[in-house]
Amino acid sequence: MTLAKTIVIHENGGPEALKLEEWPVGDPGEGEVRIRHAVCGLNFIDVYQRSGLYPLNLPHAMGMEASGTVEAVGAGVKHLKEGDRVAYASMPPGAYCEARVMPAAQVCPIPDEVDFETAAAVMLQGLTVEYLFHRTTPIAKGDTVLFHAAAGGVGLIACQWARSEGITLIGTAGSDEKCALAKQNGADHVINYRTDDFVSGVKEITGGKGVDVVMDGVGADTFDKSLNCLKPLGMMISFGNASGPVPPVNLLTLAAKGSLKVARTTLFTYVADHDRCQDMARHLFDKVASGAIKVTIGQRFKLEDVADAHRALEGRQTTGSTVLTL
């Protein structure tokens, strides 16, 4: 049994709760693999778990996403072998480390055209975009989507994904610079939510009709106004809480605003099924390999500086994806 540098929390709290420790790494059991990490990804779910919004049994290793090389394969694992280049974005947390043993079902092979850094930066965010556009509600060429935080890691991928499929995307962001970045990545229209009312902007852009779908990872600050951006029978997909959890919703409000539909989704429901997870990853990596999706890595931190990475993410000081290097 060897030791691996691992980021752990013993209690919920701010970034200072993240501790670098040496944790033991053993051999994989049935249905497991041992992975030597190359790069780790950083995502808002890590903040939710660290703060206690999404509770963990403590102490617990942190992180949901990484890329690396398979060192050992347990019994019953058919889709991976020793030496494979792989990436994942899945439960249980524990990706902020040099090496780990974990369930193999959601670990996905990386094609030769995709490097470790790109894979670690794109898995959680890219698989999120894949299910938002393909597995939650039908979205067709010519439909219009409102996407909040369009210059974030998920947002920049969503802008490119929409462009690749002929979907009109209206993106919101918190500065003119971030709006310009979203536009460069494929957003058809952008709205600076700090200087302009995005509801009025959406109505102006759509000629008063509204959008077919809203995709909202911001949460409390944007949810209610987003309902006013939808067409009758439109779909509101809430997939994150960057500004805090969404308060309870009165179903009669949805009726009054045009028989609206609402879904509160999480990636881990979609990837829980092995076959679906692998299919989603293949779809994502096909987009990356073809050049339709280019991953913007705006920040790189060393593993031991993960607290600074969390501060930057929570302070909305990041653009694109953030990775932790080993």
Side-chain angles (χ1 to χ4, degrees):
M1 185 170 291
T2 60
L3 296 175
K5 291 180 181 178
T6 304
I7 301 296
V8 181
I9 60 169
H10 291 266
E11 58 184 15
N12 297 121
E16 68 281 356
L18 298 162
K19 307 298 182 183
L20 179 64
E21 299 180 0
E22 298 274 349
W23 273 32
V25 181
D27 295 323
E30 185 169 357
E32 294 181 330
V33 290
R34 186 174 70 236
I35 302 173
R36 176 66 54 176
H37 287 155
V39 185
C40 308
L42 179 76
N43 299 281
F44 245 105
I45 189 171
D46 307 345
V47 173
Y48 303 153
Q49 291 170 343
R50 188 207 73 218
S51 69
L53 179 64
Y54 294 175
L56 299 175
N57 293 322
L58 303 180
H60 211 296
M62 297 296 294
M64 299 296 297
E65 173 184 49
S67 64
T69 303
V70 175
E71 286 191 330
V73 178
V77 177
K78 305 298 185 185
H79 70 293
L80 299 173
K81 65 183 183 303
E82 187 177 329
D84 279 353
R85 300 168 64 252
V86 295
Y88 64 87
S90 64
M91 300 293 280
Y96 291 175
C97 65
E98 292 178 315
R100 71 182 295 197
V101 171
M102 65 178 295
Q106 282 69 46
V107 177
C108 305
I110 305 172
D112 292 341
E113 300 89 341
V114 180
D115 60 53
F116 281 131
E117 193 172 67
T118 299
V122 79
M123 277 297 280
L124 193 145
Q125 296 167 347
L127 291 176
T128 296
V129 173
E130 202 277 349
Y131 87 68
L132 287 172
F133 279 87
H134 291 275
R135 299 175 193 270
T136 307
T137 190
I139 303 175
K141 182 178 180 179
D143 286 349
T144 302
V145 169
L146 172 63
F147 200 100
H148 290 300
V154 178
L156 292 180
I157 296 170
C159 290
Q160 297 174 74
W161 201 289
R163 178 174 59 188
S164 75
E165 300 193 349
I167 296 162
T168 299
L169 188 141
I170 303 170
T172 71
S175 70
D176 290 342
E177 292 76 17
K178 288 188 175 184
C179 284
L181 185 60
K183 189 91 172 187
Q184 291 165 15
N185 278 269
D188 296 276
H189 309 275
V190 290
I191 301 169
N192 184 335
Y193 67 80
R194 294 192 188 277
T195 59
D196 298 299
D197 175 58
F198 70 78
V199 178
S200 300
V202 166
K203 290 302 177 72
E204 181 178 352
I205 291 166
T206 62
K209 295 179 181 178
V211 300
D212 299 280
V213 180
V214 176
M215 299 177 181
D216 181 16
V218 175
D221 287 353
T222 50
F223 184 88
D224 288 342
K225 291 175 67 175
S226 293
L227 296 179
N228 296 328
C229 296
L230 284 165
K231 292 177 179 178
L233 308 181
M235 179 70 163
M236 173 75 186
I237 307 174
S238 175
F239 67 94
N241 324 284
S243 66
V246 175
V249 180
N250 186 332
L251 294 182
L252 291 178
T253 299
L254 304 181
K257 291 182 181 295
S259 300
L260 304 180
K261 296 164 283 186
V262 175
R264 178 56 174 96
T265 59
T266 176
L267 170 65
F268 305 109
T269 307
Y270 290 90
V271 300
D273 178 82
H274 167 74
D275 291 337
R276 181 167 55 224
C277 176
Q278 299 297 320
D279 184 59
M280 291 170 66
R282 283 190 291 269
H283 191 187
L284 170 61
F285 284 136
D286 284 347
K287 290 275 190 184
V288 175
S290 73
I293 302 296
K294 297 185 185 300
V295 181
T296 300
I297 300 175
Q299 302 75 216
R300 294 170 176 85
F301 294 85
K302 293 182 179 179
L303 180 66
E304 55 266 33
D305 296 327
V306 65
D308 291 334
H310 274 233
R311 291 185 187 99
L313 185 62
E314 290 181 275
R316 300 192 184 184
Q317 296 168 354
T318 64
T319 55
S321 301
T322 303
V323 296
L324 305 175
T325 59
L326 297 161

